[in-house]
Amino acid sequence: MNAFTPRPPRGADADALLRAELAELLPPPPVPELTPERNLDLRHAVLRSALAAGDGGPAVRPRRRFPVGLLAVPVAACAVVAGVVVVAPGEGPAGPPGRVSAGQPGPSDAVRFLSGAALAAAAAPAPEVRPGEYVYVKSLVAYAGRDAAGGPTVLPPARAREVWLSADGSRPGLLREAGAADTPLGSPGPVYELDGPGAEPRKSTLGAEPPSVTRPTHAYVVALPTEPEALLRLVREQTRGAGESGGSGSDADQRAFTAIGTLLAETWAPPEVTAALYRAAALIPGVTVLPSATDAAGRGGVAVARTAHGEQTQWVFDRTTSAFLGERTVLAESTQAGRAGTVLGVSAVLVKGAASAPGEPPRA
């Protein structure tokens, strides 16, 4: 008899009385239980949801069933599904909390750092360069030299460097370095032509080369592609013939890395282009991250580096804002020029702006 069936109150209709009497006579209906297979499916679903909740990544679908006993562990433990190790949030030895590893290698430190720098760059203010103006860049630079007798290199104190570059490349620019005479930039070079054998040389001018990655103007940089793969492909194409006979120039990846570093230091690119330059650099093999580096102004930060042919090129970034600070070149191995770690060159970008004419200070 079903002791849990309440009887209808007094005054209820005949149908209600009949149903109550039948409920007392009939046994209680059976409660369906989950089959082992269904129970295992539900456990898998709960585990996948818990693991994917850490970073919103896709759940890992098990490829075959396991006994229920294999899943009778806390969700925070490691689960082995079809030979793939899935680490729960907070349990992995590397990477940020919530990262799920599904057998594929995660992004390198360089990719993660440059991705963060790209996000910071994309939020920066856009440059304001009016038509007919000049891009102004002030920096500190120092380059090591060797005396005639050989011996180790010596890095002199950093000196101030200012450059004015015509925004559209139509007019000559100016280079000004402390302790040296001003140098015009982009002026048509004089050449001498011969109209025929024995003719008097005739003075002419050499036409200016069109803008490119290695000879950028502000107008050219503004129009660079912002898709990282397309940008890197363009950089590779336009640096292909640079020094391929030997040295670091024979390394296509290093040529691309060096060219991107020059664009970061010597131009005033829009935020979306700067972000694309960082993401393009992240696609270059062999790029690493150094936890500590110092630019020519003594500012410490994090460096993104690449080593080729015994030298390491470093881009120094602000540790907090991820802003580009400057570059360093150091010996990666001991040579006649010095011991490994010897600094061959260093720079620091101090100011970028727009000026109305060469030699004039930038607009506030």
Side-chain angles (χ1 to χ4, degrees):
M1 182 177 294
N2 188 357
F4 296 97
T5 303
R7 298 184 64 85
R10 293 181 178 274
D13 57 21
D15 291 340
L17 292 174
L18 180 60
R19 285 196 298 271
E21 291 177 358
L22 291 175
E24 292 179 357
L25 296 175
L26 297 175
V31 178
E33 295 184 358
L34 295 178
T35 64
E37 292 79 5
R38 179 57 177 164
N39 188 30
L40 181 58
D41 286 340
L42 290 176
R43 288 175 178 267
H44 275 304
V46 172
L47 180 59
R48 291 197 301 272
S49 299
L51 293 178
D55 62 354
V60 179
R61 185 177 299 277
R63 295 186 179 178
R64 66 185 186 88
R65 304 181 186 277
F66 287 87
V68 177
L70 289 180
L71 292 177
V73 294
V75 173
C78 297
V80 181
V81 182
V84 178
V85 178
V86 181
V87 184
E91 294 293 325
R99 180 69 59 187
V100 178
S101 172
Q104 296 294 331
S108 67
D109 291 341
V111 171
R112 283 194 293 266
F113 181 86
L114 287 169
S115 297
L119 291 176
E128 297 181 2
V129 184
R130 301 166 185 165
E133 288 190 326
Y134 291 76
V135 171
Y136 170 84
V137 180
K138 182 178 181 180
S139 58
L140 293 175
V141 297
Y143 303 105
R146 303 177 67 184
D147 56 29
T153 60
V154 178
L155 187 71
R159 64 185 184 274
R161 178 180 184 272
E162 296 174 285
V163 63
W164 289 261
L165 299 172
S166 172
D168 59 5
S170 62
R171 288 172 290 179
L174 180 67
L175 169 64
R176 177 174 293 169
E177 290 188 327
D182 290 353
T183 303
L185 298 175
S187 300
V191 295
Y192 292 89
E193 297 180 355
L194 293 176
D195 294 330
E200 189 72 19
R202 177 169 52 85
K203 188 175 181 179
S204 180
T205 58
L206 183 64
E209 296 187 21
S212 65
V213 167
T214 56
R215 289 180 175 83
T217 64
H218 183 70
Y220 180 83
V221 172
V222 168
L224 283 174
T226 56
E227 200 280 321
E229 287 81 3
L231 180 56
L232 181 58
R233 186 163 53 250
L234 177 66
V235 171
R236 290 185 186 278
E237 290 174 355
Q238 297 195 358
T239 59
R240 181 174 297 147
E244 291 188 351
S245 58
S248 61
S250 61
D251 186 336
D253 291 328
Q254 187 65 17
R255 292 198 305 272
F257 188 79
T258 301
I260 292 175
T262 301
L263 290 172
L264 294 172
E266 294 288 290
T267 68
W268 195 17
E272 61 273 13
V273 173
T274 301
L277 289 170
Y278 292 146
R279 293 190 173 101
L283 301 174
I284 300 176
V287 178
T288 61
V289 172
L290 304 178
S292 180
T294 306
D295 69 359
R299 300 174 296 189
V302 181
V304 172
R306 192 177 190 279
T307 302
H309 303 281
E311 295 182 4
Q312 185 179 76
T313 302
Q314 304 173 2
W315 301 343
V316 186
F317 291 85
D318 184 273
R319 195 180 302 277
T320 302
T321 66
S322 298
F324 181 87
L325 299 180
E327 292 184 283
R328 279 163 48 101
T329 303
V330 303
L331 285 176
E333 55 191 37
S334 298
T335 66
Q336 293 182 349
R339 300 177 59 182
T342 299
V343 180
L344 302 178
V346 62
S347 68
V349 179
L350 304 180
V351 178
K352 289 186 178 182
S356 58
E360 294 188 4
R363 286 188 283 109

Short mmCIF file of all heavy atoms in Angstrom, two decimals, residues 1 129 150 180 189 215-216 272 301 315 334:
data_model
loop_
_atom_site.label_atom_id
_atom_site.label_comp_id
_atom_site.label_asym_id
_atom_site.label_seq_id
_atom_site.Cartn_x
_atom_site.Cartn_y
_atom_site.Cartn_z
N MET A 1 0.85 -1.19 0.00
CA MET A 1 0.00 0.00 0.00
C MET A 1 0.88 1.23 0.00
O MET A 1 1.90 1.25 0.67
CB MET A 1 -0.91 -0.01 1.22
CG MET A 1 -1.88 1.19 1.27
SD MET A 1 -2.98 1.06 2.69
CE MET A 1 -3.92 -0.40 2.24
N VAL A 129 50.14 63.84 -38.65
CA VAL A 129 51.13 64.43 -39.55
C VAL A 129 50.37 65.04 -40.72
O VAL A 129 49.73 64.35 -41.49
CB VAL A 129 52.13 63.36 -40.05
CG1 VAL A 129 53.21 64.01 -40.90
CG2 VAL A 129 52.76 62.62 -38.87
N GLY A 150 93.14 46.41 -33.86
CA GLY A 150 92.27 45.30 -33.49
C GLY A 150 91.95 45.35 -32.02
O GLY A 150 91.97 46.40 -31.38
N ALA A 180 78.56 66.16 -34.87
CA ALA A 180 78.74 65.98 -36.31
C ALA A 180 77.94 67.02 -37.06
O ALA A 180 77.00 67.61 -36.52
CB ALA A 180 78.31 64.57 -36.73
N GLY A 189 71.14 62.40 -55.57
CA GLY A 189 72.59 62.35 -55.62
C GLY A 189 73.12 62.74 -56.98
O GLY A 189 72.54 62.41 -58.02
N ARG A 215 63.22 51.88 -47.38
CA ARG A 215 63.26 53.33 -47.57
C ARG A 215 61.86 53.89 -47.34
O ARG A 215 61.21 54.38 -48.25
CB ARG A 215 63.76 53.68 -48.99
CG ARG A 215 65.23 53.40 -49.21
CD ARG A 215 65.64 53.78 -50.63
NE ARG A 215 67.06 53.63 -50.84
CZ ARG A 215 67.66 52.48 -51.15
NH1 ARG A 215 66.92 51.41 -51.31
NH2 ARG A 215 68.96 52.42 -51.31
N PRO A 216 61.40 53.82 -46.11
CA PRO A 216 59.99 54.16 -45.88
C PRO A 216 59.76 55.66 -45.77
O PRO A 216 60.62 56.43 -45.32
CB PRO A 216 59.70 53.48 -44.53
CG PRO A 216 61.02 53.50 -43.83
CD PRO A 216 62.07 53.33 -44.89
N GLU A 272 47.31 50.68 -35.80
CA GLU A 272 47.00 49.38 -36.39
C GLU A 272 48.20 48.81 -37.14
O GLU A 272 48.38 47.58 -37.20
CB GLU A 272 45.78 49.48 -37.31
CG GLU A 272 45.95 50.42 -38.49
CD GLU A 272 45.60 51.85 -38.19
OE1 GLU A 272 45.47 52.19 -36.99
OE2 GLU A 272 45.45 52.64 -39.15
N GLY A 301 63.71 47.07 -19.10
CA GLY A 301 62.48 46.49 -19.59
C GLY A 301 62.66 45.06 -20.00
O GLY A 301 63.62 44.38 -19.59
N TRP A 315 64.92 43.97 -29.09
CA TRP A 315 64.00 45.10 -29.00
C TRP A 315 63.59 45.24 -27.54
O TRP A 315 63.09 44.30 -26.94
CB TRP A 315 62.74 44.87 -29.83
CG TRP A 315 62.98 44.63 -31.29
CD1 TRP A 315 64.11 44.90 -32.01
CD2 TRP A 315 62.05 44.06 -32.23
NE1 TRP A 315 63.95 44.54 -33.32
CE2 TRP A 315 62.69 44.03 -33.49
CE3 TRP A 315 60.75 43.60 -32.12
CZ2 TRP A 315 62.07 43.53 -34.62
CZ3 TRP A 315 60.12 43.11 -33.24
CH2 TRP A 315 60.77 43.08 -34.49
N SER A 334 81.67 34.52 -27.95
CA SER A 334 82.95 35.23 -27.84
C SER A 334 83.70 35.18 -29.17
O SER A 334 83.80 34.13 -29.81
CB SER A 334 83.79 34.61 -26.73
OG SER A 334 83.15 34.74 -25.48
#
